[in-house]
Each structure stands twice: as C-alpha cells, then as structure tokens.
Amino acid sequence: MKNIALHKVHEKLGAKMVPFAGFNMPVQYEGVTAEHLTVRESVGVFDVSHMGEFLVSGENALALIQKITSNDASKLEIGDAQYSCFPNKENGIVDDLICYRIKEDQYLLVVNASNIEKDWNWISKYNEEFGAGLRDLSDEYSLLAIQGPKAVEAMQSLSSLDLADIPFYKFKVGDFAGIENVIISATGYTGSGGFEIYCKNEAVEQIWNSVFLAGAEFGIQPIGLAARDTLRLEMGYCLYGNDINDTTSPIEAGLGWITKFTKDFVNSEALAKQKEEKPSRKLVAFELNERGIPRQGYDIVDNEGTRIGNVTSGTMSPSLSKGIGLGYVTTPFTKPGSQIKIQIRKKTIPATVVKLPFYKG
C-alpha cells in the first residue's frame, strides 16, 4: 500500500483510512452525510492525490492523444481541460481521463489511480508509432479538490489570480498559498463548483494548512472518498470500475458527447457502427419509488420479474433523501419515465428511469 503525502495529516484529523486503488486513503472523517452536505452548502476539501498524472510533450503529442482518446483534443486551447476516455479494441473503455493543454505542445493526462499502470502501458504501446515525450508524474504530484459554492470566495485570498475568472473546465497556472506554478483548475467531481489544485508533494502540506486557515470562516471541512462518491452519483458522473469498464462502450454509457467521429482513433469504426445501429443496452439513471438502497450488482427486472439489466452504482441520496442509482438496461426501458424494478435481496422495489442530474442544485 502506498501512502499519499498527507497521510499523517489525515490520521491526525481522525480520518478512517482504507485501502483504495493501492493507496491508503481517507474514506470519511465526520460522516458521509455531514461531509456531503458541507460540499453542497459551503466548501470542503478532498485529498485525491492517488490520481495519476502523465505529461505528454513534443511535436507528436497531439497526434498521440488524438489516436488514443475519444474526444477531439485539437479543439483545446492552452488553459483548456477536456473530459475524454481511452477506448479499447473490444468496444470497451481502458479508462476515463481529463486532458489539460499546458503549453503549445504539452498536455497533462489525469487518470484514475486504479489504472495508472494499465494506462501507462496502453499509451506507451501506441506511442511507439508517434515517439512523443512521456513522463509519469504520478508519484511527484498531489491533488486537492476544493469543492462547494463558497470555494471561490473562501480561497481568493490565497492567490493573485482572479479565481472567479476561471470558467468551468478551464485552468490557470499561478501562485496559490505562497507556492508558485500551481495548476488551479475549475474542474471537480461534485457538481457544486470549486477547484482542483495540482502541486508538488513537498508543497501540499503548506497549501493544505493555508486552505483550512482561509476557509475557517466559511466552515471548511475535510471530505473523504465516501462523500465524493455520493456527490458524483447525484450528478450522474460515471465512476470507472462501476459504470464504465473494459466491457462497456462509451456509446452504451451515454458518453457519445465525448466520442468524436471527426477523427480516427482506437476502435472508432466499430464505435461509429454501434452508434448508427443503436446499442442493445444503455446506462440509465433511476430513482426508487419506495424506501430502499440500490447497490452495485443488484438485478434490474421488468414488471414480470424478467432480468433486464443490473445496477452499477447506487446509494441513499443525502440531498434528496431517496434511493438513486445508475444501471444498464435493455433499450425498451431507457426512456425517462420507464418503470423498472430493483431486486433488493428478496424484494423487488419499483423505480422510475429519470433524466440526469438527480441533484439540480
């Protein structure tokens, strides 16, 4: 198990530490519901330093990224971020990622912690053709997500940059909490606004302490991975390993918007065909009509009790106080308003397919 740079800080704060993707990570501090509502109502800080960071540079950097990712990275200006995925050759997804354009010929790919080695090998294999510069910075960098409606106001005193002037999915490089060359990115996984801060490991404790001093009057709190999961699920954001994996296609997963057929990329022909012919199943969002908590792996059935799919993510929504989930179902049940049932142990609980996000803010 690897430890992130702030491991001792989290232990001192009383975090419950659990193994996650090969790292000891803080899963909760005060409790999931309280932490969740802190982010929805004010501001909270996640340490997500387990995430992977790859630097891709050189004259063939863009050509490599265009080949291995589904989205169109040629549209990125310096200071832009883009959500994307690595398709595999079997209509599945190697991983989802965020691509940042740092300089003219330099990009940062931020990938899931559980897939760092797999992704590195996948990119390296394709890079044999392109010869772009590749560096794995994962062990050198820490990542803090400062999320919530009060994040901008609470953090402005820490930077000479105008934080309110960084639009969603844009970033700036500048000073933050007395540290230079910090990436301040208006991205996150919660749907409540805020920033992600990328810095060197040796700077992260100074930044963490400054963030909590600056945010004290706003009720800032440390937030664990359990609340990160309930927050992202309320927005309907996919989680790799749950809602998307090596066997789910971006078309099935509702990620057609990041799958651009204006270019040639890994498996693009097969995915274009699948889009045209319509997949036999799709990822949908649903709310339970009665009390209950849907969990990953539960069967989804129709009114006759015939299995039509499975739950990929589910929880009791802290914001809505009802059971919500994502799951794959056969095409006839994908329209909002469709009535389905979730097999929870020996009971079948009625549910309704709904439009995302669950949480409207």
Side-chain angles (χ1 to χ4, degrees):
M1 273 307 135
K2 287 185 179 178
N3 286 338
I4 51 178
L6 292 178
H7 181 85
K8 286 181 179 169
V9 171
H10 298 304
E11 281 190 327
K12 213 176 275 184
L13 287 167
K16 181 183 176 187
M17 306 294 287
V18 299
F20 182 84
F23 293 80
N24 289 309
M25 296 297 294
V27 69
Q28 66 178 59
Y29 302 83
E30 183 186 355
V32 180
T33 301
E35 291 170 35
H36 179 109
L37 296 175
T38 292
V39 175
R40 284 281 180 252
E41 293 160 12
S42 53
V43 59
V45 186
F46 305 80
D47 187 343
V48 282
S49 300
H50 60 321
M51 299 291 280
E53 293 90 12
F54 304 148
L55 194 68
V56 186
S57 57
E59 60 181 353
N60 288 334
L62 178 60
L64 170 64
I65 291 166
Q66 288 289 72
K67 180 67 178 178
I68 59 175
T69 65
S70 62
N71 212 331
D72 187 357
S74 72
K75 298 278 195 284
L76 293 174
E77 304 282 343
I78 294 167
D80 286 352
Q82 182 184 73
Y83 181 57
S84 192
C85 76
F86 301 127
N88 65 23
K89 289 185 171 178
E90 290 77 44
N91 286 6
I93 297 171
V94 178
D95 202 3
D96 61 340
L97 69 143
I98 296 181
C99 176
Y100 295 86
R101 189 173 189 185
I102 308 288
K103 294 177 184 172
E104 189 65 34
D105 61 354
Q106 192 178 80
Y107 298 80
L108 185 70
L109 307 183
V110 179
V111 302
N112 285 298
S114 56
N115 292 333
I116 292 172
E117 188 179 354
K118 179 176 81 163
D119 292 352
W120 178 261
N121 292 339
W122 181 260
I123 297 167
S124 299
K125 181 178 82 171
Y126 281 94
N127 193 39
E128 287 173 14
E129 179 189 339
F130 294 95
L134 273 186
R135 280 182 64 202
D136 183 356
L137 304 178
S138 307
D139 290 339
E140 299 171 36
Y141 276 78
S142 289
L143 173 55
L144 302 179
I146 305 165
Q147 298 281 293
K150 295 182 182 172
V152 172
E153 192 185 355
M155 295 299 112
Q156 185 55 69
S157 65
L158 297 181
S159 181
S160 63
L161 298 171
D162 183 356
L163 300 184
D165 193 37
I166 307 177
F168 193 47
Y169 266 75
K170 305 273 187 185
F171 70 93
K172 290 185 178 178
V173 179
D175 63 290
F176 191 81
I179 306 294
E180 295 296 328
N181 296 315
V182 172
I183 294 175
I184 306 168
S185 172
T187 46
Y189 203 41
T190 66
S192 283
F195 299 94
E196 293 186 303
I197 304 290
Y198 295 84
C199 66
K200 289 284 189 79
N201 287 340
E202 51 268 28
V204 71
E205 190 162 356
Q206 178 178 322
I207 290 177
W208 176 274
N209 292 336
S210 300
V211 161
F212 277 87
L213 276 174
E217 62 182 290
F218 299 90
I220 198 167
Q221 295 293 331
I223 313 293
L225 293 184
R228 188 170 182 253
D229 193 48
T230 55
L231 288 156
R232 70 93 195 165
L233 184 48
E234 286 186 347
M235 299 308 296
Y237 297 153
C238 288
L239 176 64
Y240 195 89
N242 284 44
D243 316 300
I244 52 176
N245 58 39
D246 290 304
T247 66
T248 58
S249 90
I251 307 302
E252 293 173 331
L255 297 177
W257 62 281
I258 65 162
T259 309
K260 302 292 166 60
F261 297 111
T262 50
K263 60 166 199 168
D264 173 51
F265 60 87
V266 174
N267 205 42
S268 54
E269 278 185 33
L271 290 174
K273 189 179 176 196
Q274 187 185 61
K275 184 183 181 181
E276 198 181 318
E277 294 175 354
K278 303 280 192 295
S280 59
R281 62 170 192 167
K282 284 200 99 169
L283 188 67
V284 298
F286 63 84
E287 293 181 351
L288 296 192
N289 301 340
E290 296 173 9
R291 280 199 73 76
I293 305 176
R295 299 287 186 203
Q296 184 187 23
Y298 286 2
D299 282 345
I300 302 175
V301 300
D302 64 14
N303 284 330
E304 279 70 55
T306 305
R307 185 180 182 278
I308 55 167
N310 65 287
V311 177
T312 55
S313 288
T315 193
M316 174 62 70
S317 163
S319 302
L320 308 174
S321 299
K322 63 170 77 169
I324 62 170
L326 299 175
Y328 285 93
V329 295
T330 52
T331 307
F333 297 90
T334 55
K335 282 193 178 139
S338 297
Q339 297 302 302
I340 57 175
K341 290 184 175 178
I342 313 301
Q343 187 74 46
I344 301 179
R345 289 178 285 279
K346 291 181 181 174
K347 291 175 86 175
T348 52
I349 307 291
T352 303
V353 174
V354 297
K355 269 187 172 178
L356 287 170
F358 297 105
Y359 174 77
K360 306 292 195 289

